[in-house]
Amino acid sequence: MKNILKLLVCLTTLASFSQKNFYETIASHGESAIYQRYYSVYKDDNGKQVIAGKQYQLKAEIVKFQDINAGFKLVAASKNDLAGIATIDVTKSKSHKIIGYPNVSLLVDRISRKGYVAINDYIFKLGNVWKEKDGIGFNDIDAIYIRVGAKGSEGKNTSGKKKKKKFGAFMNKLKDAAMNKTPSECTSPACKKAEGMDLKKFVFEYLQSMKVKQDAYTLTTKDKVDIAILKGAVDGYYKHVNEKNDAYWKIY
């Protein structure tokens, strides 16, 4: 029994260390990756995961300061996508936090209590992040950004199964139309895959596993220097802003 418990602990630890951090996930898809935003993520009355509210497409960009990962931003993928810019930048705001540096799991704005997590082909915008220090606790998923072109569930289908699947989908559409039901906006393979999961549990378990990795990690000298540089940058930015404000009010 003791050996089994040791094995389970070992497997859990190995799984934690194999997880990609926030920046590794974003970088792995390249600068040209485009994400589709859905602003509604919830469970229906039957407990089924639902993704809806399909909006615009965005690109995820890593914010750097002196070649140090300092945040990230979501920007419109094209001029036709009327999306605002969502930015976390720890060199410009003391309310912005990077959790677990350098094994970053979560980026948080402590004022709005919103956070961002990147796992595989998904970026999650979390709401009511209430344990930002540990990087685990949150109440809601406010939005999901799904990488365009990402694959769904793996597996081979025979031609017969494909025909049955298409026929079933066709019949479901007829049924929805007859009931005046709004057709699903979650049609891509990666979106359907996400709808088949418990997303809050999926994100929470990722954050838990990353916390294990972060707690086991010892900061290197370079890590400490990087953290000091980022802190110095935001302190310098606030000082600059205050000096500009003081100069302005002296004139008036």
Side-chain angles (χ1 to χ4, degrees):
M1 187 65 180
K2 287 183 179 180
N3 289 334
I4 293 173
L5 288 173
K6 286 180 180 179
L7 179 61
L8 288 172
V9 171
C10 183
L11 289 173
T12 302
T13 304
L14 287 173
S16 300
F17 279 82
S18 66
Q19 293 278 19
K20 288 183 179 179
N21 68 44
F22 184 95
Y23 292 110
E24 289 171 338
T25 299
I26 298 298
S28 69
H29 299 311
E31 295 179 357
S32 61
I34 295 175
Y35 296 83
Q36 179 66 55
R37 185 181 194 269
Y38 297 83
Y39 67 81
S40 184
V41 182
Y42 65 96
K43 286 187 178 181
D44 64 17
D45 294 338
N46 297 317
K48 181 183 180 297
Q49 186 74 67
V50 178
I51 297 173
K54 186 176 183 180
Q55 290 185 302
Y56 33 75
Q57 295 185 340
L58 304 103
K59 288 187 175 182
E61 298 179 2
I62 296 174
V63 173
K64 287 185 176 287
F65 181 83
Q66 295 185 14
D67 207 33
I68 303 168
N69 293 329
F72 104 117
K73 59 184 177 180
L74 289 166
V75 299
S78 71
K79 61 182 181 181
N80 296 322
D81 289 306
L82 302 176
I85 298 176
T87 305
I88 297 288
D89 184 348
V90 298
T91 68
K92 296 292 190 295
S93 174
K94 291 184 177 181
S95 71
H96 291 178
K97 298 295 178 184
I98 293 175
I99 307 300
Y101 188 89
N103 299 305
V104 179
S105 56
L106 177 68
L107 278 67
V108 180
D109 178 351
R110 296 181 67 186
I111 292 177
S112 67
R113 307 202 73 76
K114 305 296 184 184
Y116 291 90
V117 176
I119 314 172
N120 302 334
D121 294 307
Y122 310 105
I123 299 173
F124 298 91
K125 182 181 179 181
L126 307 182
N128 296 317
V129 178
W130 50 270
K131 284 183 70 177
E132 75 274 0
K133 184 177 180 181
D134 292 334
I136 297 176
F138 67 97
N139 288 347
D140 311 295
I141 296 176
D142 286 355
I144 184 172
Y145 305 83
I146 301 176
R147 188 169 65 86
V148 174
K151 295 180 181 179
S153 300
E154 298 293 330
K156 295 181 180 179
N157 291 313
T158 64
S159 59
K161 285 183 179 179
K162 284 183 179 179
K163 287 179 181 177
K164 286 181 181 179
K165 198 170 184 180
K166 286 182 180 179
F167 181 73
F170 174 72
M171 292 303 293
N172 285 334
K173 286 181 180 180
L174 286 179
K175 182 180 177 183
D176 290 345
M179 297 174 65
N180 292 321
K181 188 177 178 181
T182 304
S184 172
E185 297 176 289
C186 184
T187 56
S188 71
C191 191
K192 288 180 178 178
K193 179 181 178 181
E195 274 199 325
M197 297 188 284
D198 182 333
L199 291 178
K200 284 185 72 173
K201 181 181 178 183
F202 178 63
V203 174
F204 184 72
E205 288 180 347
Y206 168 80
L207 293 175
Q208 279 187 314
S209 66
M210 286 298 292
K211 184 68 168 62
V212 172
K213 186 174 184 177
Q214 292 160 359
D215 288 346
Y217 183 81
T218 302
L219 291 173
T220 65
T221 301
K222 182 181 182 305
D223 295 332
K224 293 175 182 178
V225 170
D226 289 349
I227 292 170
I229 288 173
L230 295 179
K231 185 180 183 305
V234 72
D235 288 343
Y237 178 76
Y238 273 63
K239 181 181 178 183
H240 173 72
V241 170
N242 288 333
E243 288 173 349
K244 286 287 186 181
N245 287 338
D246 290 344
Y248 175 84
W249 289 112
K250 282 179 181 178
I251 297 174
Y252 295 97

